[in-house]
Amino acid sequence: MTRGRDRVLRQVMPRVVTGVVTAMGIGGLALLGPPANFPVVQVALFVVFFVVAQGLLVQHEARGMRISFNLTDIPLVIALFFLPPFWVVATKCFASACYYAGRYIREDIGLMKPTFNVGMTTSSTAVAVFYVQYMQLGAAADPRTWFVLISAIVIVGLITTILISLMLFFLSGWDSVKKAWIGFALTLIGPILAACVGVLFLVLLGANLWTGVLIAAVVAAFIYLARSYTALRRQRHVLRELNDFTQLVVDSVRSKRLIDAMLGRLRDILSAESATVWVPKSGRYPEIRLTSTLDDAGLTDLDPIPDELQQAVMASGEGVLLSPKNGTREQKAALEAAGLRGAMMVPLRSGDEVYGCLSVADRIGGEISHFVPTDLQLMETIAANVGIAVQNERLVDQLRYDAYHDPLTGLPSRRRSLAALQEALSITVPGEVVAVFMFDVDSLHEINDALGHEAGDTALREFAERLKRHAPAASFLGRIDSDEFILQTRLASTDEALDTARRLRAAVQGPFEVGGVAVSLSAAVGVVTHPDFAADADELLKRADGATRQAKNAADGVQLYHSGLESESLRRIGLAADLRRALDRGQLEVHFQPKVRLDRALTDPGAILGAEALVRWPHPTFGLVAPEEFIPIAASTGQLGQLTDTVLDEALRRSAEWAGEDGPLPMSVNLSPRTLADADFPDKVATVLERHGVPADRLTFEITEDDVVSGEPRLTPALDRLHEMGVRLSVDDFGTGYSSLAYLRRLPVQEIKIDLRFVQGMATDADDRAIVEAVLGLARHFAIDVVAEGIEAHQTVEQLRELHCEAGQGYYFSRPLPADRFAAWLDSQAGGTGRARLRVV
């Protein structure tokens, strides 16, 4: 209500004040009454003098304010002395009306402003005339006459300031009134000096009228210099305003207060009641719509200018000035409907792209003041600086965002995640723990290899979206590595953290639709809580990583960090360094386990079909390290290739050494998919075979069923080359996979090894026996050899014989043995002639 009433007062009271001031001027003329004589020549000359002097502005900067006054006081002094009182007021009134009529025609200043100014000029001149009449003038050379004339000019300035203050009070409030009186006090010396010049001219004219010629020459020169000076000052003022504005923008960008400072200063420069910046939503940037007004100390989101006008400016890319004399009828109608008198709008650009709109509305001064084309030019220049600054700020913001966010998923990056974790740890809430979950996505490499990296990226984005949807409220989620995500939240207890981890893992895994193909993703989840197991963010993340590695081997894929994992991590780090030294020094051992025919006694000729080479590591400190522990370490530290070369070389060397009548002993070597992905691996195999003189068909590479299925597309080229060389392929742990068996037709598989869990369970579990029987039938259909793993009992051997399984391997026949003991075992078979019975299957 108050704001609406103030707006009404601003619209009505200036008209009332204008009417009162005009009436005062007319009343002054009426009181003076027209004299009988009409000095036509003198009146015409003074009209010209007043009009010319009215356009000669003198500007002064004082205490941060720009104060202007004209030189009409010089001819006014002379007119007060020579003209009759009525004609002084009438001449000044007529000259003022001519001057403002010209401005009204040339510029868009409205009707009220010239009316008020003419009335104010007439009223103040009338008061000065009454004062001079009262004081009486003497001779031109009389000092008392000088005093009366100079004081009359001061009275004109005083009356003018009073009337202007009355108008400003209703337009802008007390602050503008105070500034008006400060300006009067600071610039009073100007009218006094002008009056002194007028007195000087008066004295010269009183002495000799021909001095008027000299005065005219001086006045003409002064007019020329004054106009040049005024233009220079105006240019200088505009440049200073632009420079100050540019510096303000630069400082505001640094302090992150660009829009606040920019709008306020723009409103001051253009004397506008409001200034607005509008940047529509674009990408991740939200919409910006902020307005600075005279009535509000801060910024508001109330935009006084209609949207359709700003959208039209953005569409055209051209600035628009709307006032009573500028703009189309439709634009003026839209502006009037919004309750505005005038507006300017200019586009904000970034190169050739328009991304926003800068606008100002209603020039201060109500009906007596409007925006003009030069204001639009100034605003366009300002908008160019603002556009660059805003775009730079957005660019800096983009760089800052990119530095702390993952470009694929939009989630915070590792750096930002660490900062968020540290911030969370700094706040302790009784009865709550800070729980951190690390998700390590499985099977991502297989998706990349099978469907391409774009499909892998799509799967990661979907994984992140699922994690967002199912995360607890107020959780922090980030991506800290290519296939690792972190989630931080506050929960009541560690037990609740474990339950949450299992729930999230179940929610995010499952089929993902990627390029029309359903793929399966799951994740190992490591859990660590603060303050139980970590003091800072780095430690928290490190321990979450350790728990995640252990979660890969957990039955439910979730592992809570505990102190025992720390020693396991330290052991893993130590083993990685020790493994490198062991490989370099040849400290790893290769043991051998025989493959035998089940349809013959072990001592029968041809019972031994070959051997499997198995690597062992007798560690000087930890004793015998299991392959399940150090082979993953070798894979993660880049030592798997050297490890494979070591085992392959030793296996083929022993194959040649233990050759029988049919040639070298057939040898099986386990391979990792990572090794087969090496394009040069088949060439390396050919070199080793040639070096040891072992035919390619005596070498079998074993790869697990899961590795065959998941890595089929990228392993196929290497497997085909090895098959062309004559090397055999065996699928290890057959029956444990979850995919189609169609790969048996596509890949050059010559052998499958039934997983020991099914073989060992045959005696007690009918289902396991049925699986083994089905695998044997499948193998016979595809003409593939079968080896039963993990045979530990005679009963198992008998059952396999009943199912016509021809080959087996297990502790029932022999444990994996070092080379020397395996050689002795071979010699012990069939009375020391075991090697003579070796044959090719």
Side-chain angles (χ1 to χ4, degrees), residues 284-301:
R284 71 174 185 83
Y285 294 106
E287 179 189 44
I288 298 175
R289 191 188 292 269
L290 295 171
T291 300
S292 171
T293 65
L294 282 172
D295 301 321
D296 298 292
L299 300 181
T300 69
D301 57 358

Tab-separated table of all heavy atoms in Angstrom, residues 284-301:
chain	number	residue	atom	x	y	z
A	284	ARG	N	23.298	-25.883	-17.416
A	284	ARG	CA	23.256	-26.045	-15.958
A	284	ARG	C	23.081	-24.719	-15.234
A	284	ARG	O	22.887	-24.677	-14.022
A	284	ARG	CB	24.541	-26.726	-15.459
A	284	ARG	CG	25.771	-25.850	-15.548
A	284	ARG	CD	26.955	-26.540	-14.896
A	284	ARG	NE	28.123	-25.696	-14.862
A	284	ARG	CZ	28.354	-24.770	-13.935
A	284	ARG	NH1	27.484	-24.585	-12.977
A	284	ARG	NH2	29.447	-24.043	-13.963
A	285	TYR	N	23.158	-23.588	-16.003
A	285	TYR	CA	23.017	-22.280	-15.380
A	285	TYR	C	21.531	-21.966	-15.173
A	285	TYR	O	20.746	-22.009	-16.112
A	285	TYR	CB	23.653	-21.190	-16.258
A	285	TYR	CG	25.140	-21.298	-16.383
A	285	TYR	CD1	25.728	-21.750	-17.561
A	285	TYR	CD2	25.965	-20.971	-15.320
A	285	TYR	CE1	27.093	-21.850	-17.681
A	285	TYR	CE2	27.340	-21.071	-15.430
A	285	TYR	CZ	27.907	-21.510	-16.615
A	285	TYR	OH	29.251	-21.613	-16.723
A	286	PRO	N	21.131	-21.597	-13.953
A	286	PRO	CA	19.732	-21.242	-13.730
A	286	PRO	C	19.428	-19.854	-14.279
A	286	PRO	O	20.327	-19.095	-14.639
A	286	PRO	CB	19.618	-21.262	-12.195
A	286	PRO	CG	20.995	-20.908	-11.727
A	286	PRO	CD	21.945	-21.530	-12.728
A	287	GLU	N	18.140	-19.518	-14.347
A	287	GLU	CA	17.730	-18.194	-14.805
A	287	GLU	C	18.181	-17.137	-13.802
A	287	GLU	O	18.131	-17.342	-12.584
A	287	GLU	CB	16.223	-18.138	-14.965
A	287	GLU	CG	15.714	-16.775	-15.422
A	287	GLU	CD	14.206	-16.661	-15.375
A	287	GLU	OE1	13.619	-17.106	-14.372
A	287	GLU	OE2	13.624	-16.129	-16.328
A	288	ILE	N	18.641	-15.991	-14.327
A	288	ILE	CA	18.978	-14.842	-13.486
A	288	ILE	C	18.012	-13.721	-13.855
A	288	ILE	O	17.915	-13.323	-15.009
A	288	ILE	CB	20.425	-14.375	-13.716
A	288	ILE	CG1	21.424	-15.478	-13.344
A	288	ILE	CG2	20.719	-13.117	-12.903
A	288	ILE	CD1	22.862	-15.119	-13.676
A	289	ARG	N	17.294	-13.201	-12.868
A	289	ARG	CA	16.392	-12.069	-13.074
A	289	ARG	C	16.430	-11.238	-11.801
A	289	ARG	O	15.750	-11.549	-10.818
A	289	ARG	CB	14.974	-12.528	-13.386
A	289	ARG	CG	14.064	-11.381	-13.869
A	289	ARG	CD	12.630	-11.848	-13.963
A	289	ARG	NE	12.419	-12.819	-15.013
A	289	ARG	CZ	12.076	-12.514	-16.258
A	289	ARG	NH1	11.928	-11.254	-16.604
A	289	ARG	NH2	11.887	-13.463	-17.151
A	290	LEU	N	17.228	-10.163	-11.825
A	290	LEU	CA	17.425	-9.336	-10.641
A	290	LEU	C	17.251	-7.868	-11.003
A	290	LEU	O	17.646	-7.432	-12.089
A	290	LEU	CB	18.817	-9.574	-10.053
A	290	LEU	CG	19.078	-10.986	-9.496
A	290	LEU	CD1	20.538	-11.164	-9.145
A	290	LEU	CD2	18.203	-11.256	-8.281
A	291	THR	N	16.664	-7.106	-10.055
A	291	THR	CA	16.361	-5.701	-10.289
A	291	THR	C	16.832	-4.856	-9.113
A	291	THR	O	16.635	-5.232	-7.951
A	291	THR	CB	14.845	-5.500	-10.485
A	291	THR	OG1	14.416	-6.271	-11.604
A	291	THR	CG2	14.509	-4.040	-10.716
A	292	SER	N	17.446	-3.732	-9.437
A	292	SER	CA	17.826	-2.731	-8.440
A	292	SER	C	16.899	-1.531	-8.599
A	292	SER	O	16.751	-0.994	-9.700
A	292	SER	CB	19.280	-2.302	-8.644
A	292	SER	OG	19.600	-1.190	-7.813
A	293	THR	N	16.249	-1.095	-7.505
A	293	THR	CA	15.313	0.022	-7.561
A	293	THR	C	15.668	1.070	-6.520
A	293	THR	O	16.456	0.828	-5.604
A	293	THR	CB	13.868	-0.461	-7.315
A	293	THR	OG1	13.778	-0.952	-5.971
A	293	THR	CG2	13.487	-1.567	-8.277
A	294	LEU	N	15.061	2.237	-6.688
A	294	LEU	CA	15.267	3.308	-5.711
A	294	LEU	C	14.710	2.941	-4.341
A	294	LEU	O	15.243	3.356	-3.309
A	294	LEU	CB	14.570	4.588	-6.198
A	294	LEU	CG	15.272	5.407	-7.286
A	294	LEU	CD1	14.349	6.507	-7.761
A	294	LEU	CD2	16.572	5.981	-6.764
A	295	ASP	N	13.631	2.159	-4.318
A	295	ASP	CA	12.934	1.897	-3.062
A	295	ASP	C	13.547	0.781	-2.245
A	295	ASP	O	13.261	0.663	-1.061
A	295	ASP	CB	11.466	1.529	-3.350
A	295	ASP	CG	10.758	2.648	-4.080
A	295	ASP	OD1	11.017	3.811	-3.740
A	295	ASP	OD2	9.957	2.359	-4.985
A	296	ASP	N	14.369	-0.084	-2.861
A	296	ASP	CA	14.911	-1.246	-2.167
A	296	ASP	C	16.415	-1.147	-2.075
A	296	ASP	O	17.094	-0.860	-3.074
A	296	ASP	CB	14.524	-2.540	-2.899
A	296	ASP	CG	13.014	-2.733	-2.935
A	296	ASP	OD1	12.432	-2.957	-1.868
A	296	ASP	OD2	12.438	-2.637	-4.040
A	297	ALA	N	16.938	-1.421	-0.875
A	297	ALA	CA	18.389	-1.356	-0.674
A	297	ALA	C	19.095	-2.493	-1.400
A	297	ALA	O	20.199	-2.325	-1.919
A	297	ALA	CB	18.708	-1.408	0.817
A	298	GLY	N	18.464	-3.665	-1.437
A	298	GLY	CA	19.077	-4.804	-2.109
A	298	GLY	C	18.449	-5.044	-3.467
A	298	GLY	O	17.810	-4.169	-4.053
A	299	LEU	N	18.656	-6.266	-3.984
A	299	LEU	CA	18.106	-6.651	-5.286
A	299	LEU	C	16.830	-7.449	-5.082
A	299	LEU	O	16.685	-8.188	-4.102
A	299	LEU	CB	19.114	-7.485	-6.069
A	299	LEU	CG	20.454	-6.818	-6.379
A	299	LEU	CD1	21.325	-7.761	-7.181
A	299	LEU	CD2	20.250	-5.511	-7.135
A	300	THR	N	15.904	-7.304	-6.004
A	300	THR	CA	14.667	-8.083	-5.986
A	300	THR	C	14.551	-8.857	-7.286
A	300	THR	O	15.278	-8.607	-8.252
A	300	THR	CB	13.443	-7.166	-5.833
A	300	THR	OG1	13.274	-6.399	-7.036
A	300	THR	CG2	13.611	-6.216	-4.661
A	301	ASP	N	13.613	-9.816	-7.316
A	301	ASP	CA	13.372	-10.579	-8.543
A	301	ASP	C	12.133	-10.076	-9.268
A	301	ASP	O	11.567	-10.763	-10.115
A	301	ASP	CB	13.231	-12.072	-8.231
A	301	ASP	CG	12.122	-12.349	-7.230
A	301	ASP	OD1	11.490	-11.384	-6.753
A	301	ASP	OD2	11.889	-13.538	-6.921
